[in-house]
Amino acid sequence: MNFCGLISKNSRSPVAVLPTRDRLAGLTGFVYFLISGLIAVSFASNPVLAKEAEPMASDAQVEARLVHIAEELRCLVCQNESLSSSRADLAEDLRAQVREQIVKGRTDQEIKDYLVERYGDFVLYRPAVKPMTWALWFGPFVCLLIGLGVLLFAINKRNKKIQSLQPATHATVVGAESNTNLTAPSQLSETAHPEHKE
Amino acid sequence: MKKFLIPLALFVVLVLFLAAGLKRDPHEIPSPLINRAAPEFSLQTLSGKSTFSPSDYKGRVWLLNVWATWCVSCREEHPVLVAFAKQIAVPIVGLSYKEIQPQDDPEKKLSPDAQLSLARSRGAVWLERHGNPYSLSVMDLDGRVGIDYGVYGVPETYIIDKEGVIRYKQIGPVTPQLLTNTLLPIIRGLENS
C-alpha cells in the first residue's frame, strides 16, 4: 500500500545523495564530475518520480469541481494532507467517489455529507458549527476575552498601586539609578539596563 | 506565594490536557457509524459460490473483520482471530478489502475477471496457510463497501448486534488483551440482550 508516497519519494530523490558533495570538497574536479553524473541520473529517473494522480475524467469542469471539493476534505491516511493532494490509495478511491457523484449531479454539500456520514466530521477541514464544536469555534475568542479581562484587571491594579506609592517609588528609582551609574558605569551593556536590575 | 497559585493551577490543567493528548492515538478517528445500522451490501464470497448480505445475519451477533493478504498488521492479528473463532460461537465475516493493489497491476492490464480470480486464489492460499477464522469471507475488490463502512486502515473489526446495528469498531489489530477486556464483554452483553 502506498503510504502517503513517502517511501518512494525519499528513496529516489536526488537530494538524498547531495551530502557526498561536502565530503569531497577538496577534489573539485571529481566533484564536478560527480554532480554532472548526479544531474544526469536524476533527469533520467524523473519519469519514475513523476507519478501524479492521473485524472480519470477528461471533463475539465468536473476536475475543477473535484479539486475545489477535495481541498476542503482531509485525507484519513495522511491526516495533514487534503484529499486533493494526498497520494494514498484511499484518497484516490475517495476522489473517484467524489468524481462519480459530481457526474451524477450531486451538490457540494451532498458530497461532503456523504463522506461525513462514513468518516465523521474529521474529514472536514472546516467543521460544522454545532454544540459539539462550539469549544473549537468560539474557544479561542473566549480565551482572548479572558486574557483581555485579566490584563485590564492587572493594569488597573498596578495603576492604583503606583498612584498610592508614587512619592516613595520615585525616590527609590532615582536612588538606584544614580547608585549603579556611580559604581560601575563601564559594566552597563545593552542587555543590562539599570531599571531592570532592581 | 498566593500570587503563583493561579498560574500554577492553570499550568497543571494545561499539563493534564497535554498528557491526555499524548495517550490518544491520532490515527483512531471515532466512527460516526457506531449505533447506526450496518450499511447493506451484497458481495460474492471468496469461494464464489454464493453471496452474503448483512441482513442474512439478522437476529445474530456477528463480527465483520476487514483483512487483506498485503496487510502486515493482519498477520499479527490473524492467530488471535483463529483462536477466538474456536473459542466462541459468534460468526466472524471476513471482508477481503482491495486484495488487488495498484502495484499488482501497474499497467492496468488485468480484466475484472482476472483480478477476481487472482484475488480469490491469493485469499484462499493465505487462509489455508494461516488458518481460517471466518464463517465466510466476502470480496470487496474495488473497496466500495469499505468506504461505506468508513474503512481507512486495515485491519478493522466491527461488532454488529442482533438488529444489524454497529455497536463497536476496532481500528488496527485485535490483541488478546483487547479481546478479553473489551470485545468479549460487549459481545456477551449484546448476546444476552
Side-chain angles (χ1 to χ4, degrees):
Chain A
M1 199 167 197
N2 185 356
F3 197 79
C4 315
L6 282 179
I7 301 153
S8 55
K9 252 187 219 164
N10 284 347
S11 59
R12 284 184 198 139
S13 167
V15 181
V17 230
L18 270 184
T20 2
R21 199 178 141 182
D22 293 336
R23 259 182 267 144
L24 298 169
L27 310 159
T28 341
F30 185 63
V31 168
Y32 280 128
F33 170 74
L34 204 68
I35 290 172
S36 56
L38 278 180
I39 290 168
V41 166
S42 67
F43 267 105
S45 66
N46 254 353
V48 190
L49 262 176
K51 192 219 154 198
E52 294 290 320
E54 38 203 288
M56 285 180 196
S58 49
D59 195 335
Q61 224 174 347
V62 171
E63 287 307 307
R65 253 190 86 197
L66 169 69
V67 170
H68 176 73
I69 297 171
E71 261 171 3
E72 292 268 299
L73 298 168
R74 188 203 297 264
C75 171
L76 289 119
V77 182
C78 312
Q79 298 181 349
N80 281 335
E81 276 190 300
S82 77
L83 205 57
S84 70
S85 62
S86 178
R87 289 161 43 128
D89 289 339
L90 180 68
E92 218 143 294
D93 288 352
L94 290 178
R95 280 198 296 267
Q97 284 284 315
V98 172
R99 198 178 277 128
E100 205 174 280
Q101 300 201 14
I102 290 171
V103 174
K104 273 186 196 162
R106 303 254 167 90
T107 65
D108 289 10
Q109 195 52 49
E110 279 171 340
I111 295 170
K112 281 181 189 166
D113 287 347
Y114 166 89
L115 286 166
V116 168
E117 234 170 67
R118 285 155 179 80
Y119 294 99
D121 283 335
F122 191 84
V123 290
L124 300 175
Y125 267 126
R126 225 186 290 252
V129 182
K130 54 184 184 181
M132 183 68 181
T133 58
W134 279 355
L136 187 70
W137 278 100
F138 307 120
F141 299 107
V142 171
C143 285
L144 188 71
L145 282 179
I146 292 173
L148 275 177
V150 169
L151 186 70
L152 285 176
F153 180 74
I155 288 173
N156 206 10
K157 205 172 149 190
R158 193 162 158 271
N159 278 347
K160 271 185 194 155
K161 204 175 173 186
I162 287 170
Q163 263 166 15
S164 68
L165 293 173
Q166 203 140 44
T169 346
H170 187 67
T172 41
V173 169
V174 169
E177 219 165 83
S178 55
N179 199 21
T180 35
N181 279 345
L182 273 176
T183 48
S186 60
Q187 280 175 8
L188 286 178
S189 65
E190 283 174 332
T191 46
H193 289 292
E195 296 98 305
H196 288 169
K197 277 191 175 172
E198 216 196 348
Chain B
M1 203 55 230
K2 214 176 140 194
K3 203 173 157 187
F4 296 110
L5 226 55
I6 293 171
L8 184 71
L10 286 175
F11 177 72
V12 168
V13 169
L14 187 70
V15 165
L16 285 179
F17 265 101
L18 291 176
L22 276 180
K23 287 199 178 147
R24 284 189 60 232
D25 182 355
H27 279 279
E28 281 189 24
I29 304 159
S31 172
L33 287 164
I34 306 291
N35 295 331
R36 300 240 308 260
E40 198 50 38
F41 62 80
S42 179
L43 287 175
Q44 280 200 7
T45 56
L46 194 65
S47 63
K49 284 174 191 151
S50 58
T51 58
F52 170 79
S53 298
S55 53
D56 295 351
Y57 273 167
K58 209 135 214 183
R60 296 181 81 172
V61 178
W62 57 289
L63 302 186
L64 181 74
N65 176 250
V66 185
W67 68 285
T69 64
W70 46 258
C71 152
V72 180
S73 307
C74 297
R75 278 168 207 221
E76 192 187 309
E77 178 190 66
H78 207 73
V80 180
L81 288 181
V82 171
F84 179 60
K86 282 178 190 154
Q87 183 194 330
I88 201 158
V90 170
I92 307 174
V93 173
L95 182 77
S96 165
Y97 176 72
K98 294 198 73 178
E99 181 54 48
I100 307 300
Q101 290 289 295
Q103 62 265 30
D104 292 332
D105 182 18
E107 273 139 45
K108 298 197 165 93
K109 275 184 181 160
L110 288 180
S111 68
D113 281 342
Q115 283 193 4
L116 195 65
S117 65
L118 177 63
R120 273 204 178 113
S121 61
R122 262 211 231 164
V125 166
W126 201 78
L127 288 179
E128 205 170 293
R129 186 178 298 159
H130 299 279
N132 186 355
Y134 306 119
S135 54
L136 60 100
S137 212
V138 289
M139 311 276 296
D140 182 24
L141 259 191
D142 58 3
R144 286 292 287 266
V145 171
I147 289 175
D148 281 346
Y149 276 78
V151 171
Y152 65 91
V154 192
E156 289 186 10
T157 307
Y158 300 80
I159 302 178
I160 295 156
D161 74 4
K162 290 175 185 170
E163 316 296 316
V165 175
I166 296 176
R167 290 299 182 187
Y168 181 81
K169 176 183 179 182
Q170 165 63 26
I171 296 153
V174 172
T175 60
Q177 290 103 307
L178 214 98
L179 207 57
T180 41
N181 297 338
T182 314
L183 268 70
L184 262 176
I186 294 174
I187 293 169
R188 294 231 168 89
L190 291 175
E191 281 203 308
N192 294 332
S193 69

